[in-house]
Amino acid sequence: MSAPVDVASIERELRELWERFAHDGQDHNQHPVMRACVLNLLVWAAQESAEQEVSDGMGLITAS
């Protein structure tokens, strides 16, 4: 069963948590808090002949 999710709200809460942890770490001489984001993109093409077109499109998307 799926339910609607407010992605902006989740991102806002995560940002607030990271900022709080980063600030707390500075007070106690702890290691800095770092955040990394990764995106995986999978593309399926019905025909092998579409490989170049898909590759070109992915290059345009990821260059932004």
Side-chain angles (χ1 to χ4, degrees):
M1 183 174 177
S2 64
V5 175
D6 182 4
V7 176
S9 175
I10 293 170
E11 280 292 327
R12 185 173 41 258
E13 289 184 42
L14 284 173
R15 184 181 61 250
E16 290 171 4
L17 284 171
W18 282 111
E19 289 173 357
R20 187 172 351 133
F21 288 137
H23 182 267
D24 291 348
Q26 290 175 354
D27 293 342
H28 305 301
N29 292 327
Q30 296 177 353
H31 297 289
V33 175
M34 298 174 68
R35 181 177 178 189
C37 297
V38 176
L39 171 69
N40 292 316
L41 175 63
L42 301 175
V43 178
W44 178 83
Q47 299 174 348
E48 191 173 334
S49 61
E51 179 181 352
Q52 188 60 49
E53 183 180 352
V54 170
S55 180
D56 292 343
M58 289 184 357
L60 292 171
I61 292 169
T62 58
S64 303

